[in-house]
Amino acid sequence: MANIDEFGGGQRPDAQVLVVTTNDIPGFRVDHVIGEVFGLTVRSRHVGSQIGASLKSLVGGELRGLTKTLVESRNEAMERLVEQTRARGGNAVLMFRFDVTQAADIGTEVCAYGTAVVISPAT
């Protein structure tokens, strides 16, 4: 099995900002809605990866170099989202999503976005 950090992502168990794709968090209440936050990164394509991807497309299969690049991009965008949330006083992000688009045929834009909030345990 591959190293989880090479081909996956997500938060560590000790994260200071909870990021979820749901509208609410069981056992917590939303005390304050801060608003939309996002983290953005644009990555250029590596020439070696492009050549390898072109060759691989002839025979089929996973494009591992491109997969690793996209994972790194998503993780970087998510880290920036968390930084924005903390800078605005939040401790959670609700309705978290990714958006990935081509950037002028030279790279890939990855945007992580959601709603920054302040949460506390429900009593």
Side-chain angles (χ1 to χ4, degrees):
M1 180 172 196
N3 180 347
I4 193 167
D5 292 327
E6 285 187 60
F7 295 102
Q11 291 190 289
R12 302 273 182 223
D14 60 346
Q16 295 178 356
V17 173
L18 181 60
V19 179
V20 298
T21 59
T22 57
N23 295 335
D24 53 11
I25 304 168
F28 290 86
R29 69 172 182 263
V30 174
D31 297 323
H32 177 68
V33 174
I34 296 168
E36 180 188 14
V37 289
F38 66 91
L40 182 67
T41 186
V42 178
R43 294 277 180 109
S44 63
R45 295 188 185 116
H46 185 275
V47 174
S49 293
Q50 285 183 294
I51 293 169
S54 296
L55 294 174
K56 188 70 164 187
S57 68
L58 296 174
V59 295
E62 182 183 10
L63 307 174
R64 292 177 71 84
L66 294 176
T67 300
K68 287 176 80 168
T69 299
L70 185 55
V71 166
E72 290 168 0
S73 299
R74 288 173 61 119
N75 288 341
E76 184 172 65
M78 187 171 179
E79 287 172 14
R80 291 177 178 173
L81 168 99
V82 167
E83 289 172 14
Q84 285 291 313
T85 301
R86 290 181 61 201
R88 295 177 184 204
N91 63 353
V93 175
L94 303 178
M95 298 175 287
F96 170 73
R97 302 287 187 267
F98 281 113
D99 187 33
V100 179
T101 58
Q102 296 293 23
D105 290 333
I106 60 168
T108 303
E109 172 189 324
V110 178
C111 182
Y113 63 96
T115 302
V117 297
V118 176
I119 60 171
S120 62
T123 54

